[in-house]
Amino acid sequence: MSDAPLRQRSRRGAGRPTIADVAKRAGVGAITVSRALREPDRVSIELRKQIASAVEELGYVPDSNARALASARADVIGVLIPSLTNNVFAEVVSGIYDGLGDSNLQVLLGDTHYSGMEEERLLRVFLGQRPSALIVSGVDQTPGARAILEAASCPVVQIMELGEDPIDMMVGFSHFDSGRAVTRHMIEVGYREVAFIGARMDPRSQRRLAGYKAAMTEAGLSDPRLITTSTQPSSVTFGREMFREAIARVPTLDAVFCNNDDIALGVLFECNRAALGVPDKIGIAGFNDLEMMKVAYPSITSVRTYRHQIGRRAIDMARAAMAGERPETRVVDVGFKLEIRESTQRGA
Amino acid sequence: MSDAPLRQRSRRGAGRPTIADVAKRAGVGAITVSRALREPDRVSIELRKQIASAVEELGYVPDSNARALASARADVIGVLIPSLTNNVFAEVVSGIYDGLGDSNLQVLLGDTHYSGMEEERLLRVFLGQRPSALIVSGVDQTPGARAILEAASCPVVQIMELGEDPIDMMVGFSHFDSGRAVTRHMIEVGYREVAFIGARMDPRSQRRLAGYKAAMTEAGLSDPRLITTSTQPSSVTFGREMFREAIARVPTLDAVFCNNDDIALGVLFECNRAALGVPDKIGIAGFNDLEMMKVAYPSITSVRTYRHQIGRRAIDMARAAMAGERPETRVVDVGFKLEIRESTQRGA
DNA sequence: CCGTTAATTGGTAGCGCTACCAGATTGCAT
DNA sequence: ATGCAATCTGGTAGCGCTACCAATTAACGG
């Protein structure tokens, strides 16, 4: 009973069965268990059964850290989005998760809060996990982030936007084109003083604004006083406030292209409250086509964006690349669709 | 730009600098580098500087898999929510992320799609990572999931609801009480035939419905025909449809308690469209108090829930427990607040 | 009978890091 | 000088798993 110093380490390996325990119980070598779990075809049926029941009896769960260390890659995909609470990105993420299927891939989700610095920091943290792929939002990475991504030894997908110069792969649509399309539509149906209202002017919003400006200019209607922007986060409340500001500045404005649907909703509520008839007195268009736009009263014209599909395509492309397939098309344009509704149906 | 850079998995040991490389460059032992990174206080300032610059020069990023394997715990927190796209949970998750601060904790987010089976599966996958803590939604885990959680050797926080019998810790509020409070309010201001409309009747919705029933019964106004529920996912569109159904069945109904704000918005839009005056002809109340409720026209009565705070408290409690502190209060009630607005201000 | 191939299975040697302990150095009291 | 604790640093031995290769067996043709 003289205390021979226990060489066991207290905290380590406490409890959980290891692959060696399973191997012993099944009467096979550890490596065979490993294979039975990862490449069952290479193990005979009898052993597979024995191993399966040993796994079951012991409640064995493979340690993914050890697996990642031994095989120099983790079944982890890093995803960076600017905001978790923005419904638009939530739907993209949902598409990504749906594309996971029953693979045992894990998603590491990072919220950059629209900050390039934070994006860089998270990228570094993610890389510490040796991810199998990375999905990032937008095309305007900081030089540092871009360097990290270019040096990353895994597939990279940029989502939401398109650009000239993909790091690796890309899924998105043209914000410029969609902004221009909405604006042209409003001009076509007869609105003349079409305002632009935008909060949180991130790069995608800037490109939509550029599309708006292009359409206004080509119609000879451009007027900088019609543009109201802010770097504050977007909200329905803030949409209402910005609209009040806009109409105080230009009382004759007759339509508003809102940078997103939240703002459009705020404008609609304010028009209802102030008894400004929509669409006759004021036309309204939003962006993203949230589900409620078609139910609103009046229903609101918006630009349908395929957010779920963007996430889904991104993960599909990433998984294909992980499997060694290099698709010929590395840039996928999922497009957009202008949904014309009551809010811009100007009575003739 | 001919052939794509092969992003095949790197061979063992290829590429990335290890802690040994840093140690060699800094002229110290590997363990000292490890300490300098994790417990800087235990390393002299000179060495710290040398190590820091070696890290910088080599672009060293610690391998978190190796770290997790060696220390038998990963800096990972598993979070399970029923739906990613539901704004309510997105805000909870946002609170969790905010509580991470600049710790190098990672969040593994799982979407159970309101399925107990999926919850169990994800729990097993998460456990394979040896997480430092787990956060799960609700109190109605399957027996299997509950067993896994009770056996887990890490802190567990159940969020969103309260219950008699916490697995470990709990942060939420009473759905029954909040449902009863709204209904009582509507009865107090004079509504008599208060309908309940609810989609996706998950356990929390069921408890709100129970609160509604209690309030109706205590006022002697209970009538099962006033209740419309569905297991379908909630949406603004579906809220409108259910309202049409409800009012067709009970044309005399004079108020609606909507199980969530999406539905309330659908009801509001339908009332606007059908020229049913709100609040005089129809009173409307929602649940969760999304930001737009106060801006809607008319503004909509709702129950303020502290979603961000729930996430924040959950992560704070988890981190405290990870640090070995066991708080005496393991069940935190963050409460709720009835926000009375125009939609239930019945003209006297 | 041997040799060859294919199909299985197992052993060995790490992956990169940290827990544990030991050794070295310093400061201070004896 | 000696002792002793406090402070700092390094070596060793794995953590649990898989890449790599060797060994075994069965199957088959010559």
Side-chain angles (χ1 to χ4, degrees), chain B residues 167-189:
Chain B
I167 295 171
D168 184 6
M169 294 175 284
M170 222 173 226
V171 191
F173 65 96
S174 168
H175 291 255
F176 179 89
D177 289 355
S178 51
R180 189 173 54 182
V182 189
T183 313
R184 280 179 175 166
H185 157 69
M186 298 180 96
I187 294 168
E188 261 168 36
V189 298

